Amino acid sequence: MIDGLVIKGVASRYKVDTADGIVTSYARGKLKIDGEIRVGDKVGVEKQGKDFVIAKVYERKNALIRPYVANVDVCFIVIAPVPAPDFMLVDKIIVNARMNGIEPVLLINKTDIADESFVKCTESDYQGVLDVIATSAKTKLNKDKIFEKTKGKTACLAGQSAVGKSSLLNMLTGTESQETGGLSKKTERGKHTTRQSEILVVSGARIIDTCGFSMLELPENFRPQELVYYYDEFAPYAGKCRFRTGCTHIKEPDCAVKDAVESGKISKNRYERYCVLYNELNEKWRKRYEQS
């Protein structure tokens, strides 16, 4: 058996980078049925006749559903002034990343066409939450800062379609290897140009280009009470709430987090989305127990 890394998957064929070079492999037996092979997986391949087959998938340190990748260190969440950012999606990706021990980094792309207030407001909302890098695939703004985050690591790009993920990857690789698209004139929504995930090696880093997506749900067994643990900006104030343990920061009296929101120490936009997400999770949890 030869060990390798899955760098691309199309249908039931996978490109696996091994010590002997890149080989095209097929999934064996149960692995083929389950479809449980992701870009980023460390696998064992075997030769069967003229073909290679993936016989084993090694234990992962993490795995994401959207994007559908494994063994990631950094997740670049890409937004742009157009299409209009879905910040609820951004917040959900941050929670998913932190649940899996992945560092989230927010990239504000297309700064060459962005209003300065858009960049400043976004940076303000996420101050103290995660690193925010303003960039542009066209002008190559802060290209070095992005590279600093990827040295010796595996990173993935995530976010809506047409925010420029593939263009950013082309900027980082110095090639035009990734197909790029834009907005649909009819719907003003992003057009999918990346149809499968693929790892590209750039300056000692592995960067995964991924398909755009507009919807993301937190895991089914995610408890509403757990959500607060993934909002780092709440931590300095949570211990000052009247109900130090168990305060959801929604309706409780004498809540230091709500006070921090009112005084501008915590982003009101982020907090309001937190409340919406908490209530969505709470409603799902309630329905789950009513049906059982």
Side-chain angles (χ1 to χ4, degrees):
M1 187 180 296
I2 307 170
D3 291 343
L5 177 75
V6 178
I7 59 172
K8 187 175 183 178
V10 180
S12 60
R13 293 183 300 170
Y14 302 90
K15 289 198 176 294
V16 181
D17 190 3
T18 75
D20 296 332
I22 297 173
V23 297
T24 299
S25 305
Y26 299 86
R28 172 188 282 176
K30 189 173 184 297
L31 292 177
K32 181 178 181 180
I33 296 170
D34 292 345
E36 271 296 308
I37 300 174
R38 309 183 187 204
V39 169
D41 269 331
K42 295 175 182 178
V43 299
V45 298
E46 293 178 345
K47 192 77 179 290
Q48 281 192 352
K50 296 180 180 179
D51 298 323
F52 284 92
V53 296
I54 296 174
K56 183 175 183 177
V57 177
Y58 292 105
E59 184 178 355
R60 300 166 176 144
K61 67 178 179 181
N62 56 50
L64 296 174
I65 295 175
R66 288 192 173 185
Y68 196 71
V69 294
N71 300 315
V72 175
D73 302 303
V74 178
C75 178
F76 289 117
I77 307 166
V78 185
I79 64 168
V82 286
D86 181 348
F87 287 108
M88 180 64 83
L89 177 64
V90 171
D91 292 346
K92 287 181 179 180
I93 297 174
I94 291 171
V95 172
N96 270 273
R98 291 201 164 126
M99 286 175 64
N100 287 279
I102 299 168
E103 179 188 3
V105 177
L106 185 61
L107 298 185
I108 307 174
N109 192 25
K110 303 184 185 179
T111 53
D112 52 295
I113 62 168
D115 188 280
E116 188 176 345
S117 63
F118 169 77
V119 176
K120 287 185 175 179
C121 286
T122 303
E123 289 175 335
S124 177
D125 277 352
Y126 288 93
Q127 185 176 1
V129 178
L130 76 173
D131 286 338
V132 180
I133 301 175
T135 188
S136 166
K138 187 174 182 179
T139 66
K140 302 181 181 179
L141 176 67
N142 289 325
K143 178 179 177 180
D144 290 344
K145 286 187 178 181
I146 299 173
F147 269 131
E148 284 174 14
K149 285 288 181 183
T150 62
K151 286 180 181 177
K153 298 177 180 178
T154 298
C156 69
L157 301 174
Q160 298 161 262
S161 299
V163 291
K165 298 187 298 295
S166 295
S167 295
L168 284 173
L169 198 53
N170 286 341
M171 175 193 76
L172 294 171
T173 59
T175 67
E176 295 295 325
S177 60
Q178 303 304 103
E179 181 186 354
T180 60
L183 290 175
S184 164
K185 292 181 180 179
K186 184 176 181 180
T187 65
E188 293 189 346
R189 297 177 65 183
K191 295 184 290 185
H192 294 282
T193 53
T194 301
R195 296 172 179 83
Q196 65 274 322
S197 298
E198 178 180 7
I199 292 180
L200 297 178
V201 179
V202 188
S203 297
R206 296 187 180 100
I207 304 179
I208 311 175
D209 190 18
T210 63
C211 308
F213 55 91
S214 58
M215 293 182 65
L216 175 67
E217 298 300 328
L218 296 180
E220 191 174 329
N221 62 348
F222 190 93
R223 295 175 179 271
Q225 296 84 354
E226 296 175 42
L227 185 62
V228 66
Y229 301 128
Y230 299 98
Y231 282 71
D232 289 359
E233 67 266 45
F234 293 1
Y237 309 100
K240 300 173 184 177
C241 295
R242 181 198 291 186
F243 304 104
R244 293 186 181 182
T245 58
C247 187
T248 64
H249 316 305
I250 305 286
K251 297 178 179 179
E252 295 86 350
D254 300 326
C255 173
V257 169
K258 289 193 290 183
D259 290 343
V261 173
E262 291 302 316
S263 64
K265 295 175 182 175
I266 290 176
S267 163
K268 188 174 183 180
N269 293 329
R270 271 270 292 175
Y271 173 74
E272 288 177 349
R273 292 194 298 272
Y274 162 81
C275 291
V276 171
L277 185 51
Y278 179 90
N279 288 328
E280 284 180 2
L281 290 167
N282 203 39
E283 182 65 14
K284 285 182 181 179
W285 201 260
R286 184 184 64 79
K287 288 181 178 179
R288 180 180 178 181
Y289 276 91
E290 283 181 353
Q291 293 170 0
S292 60

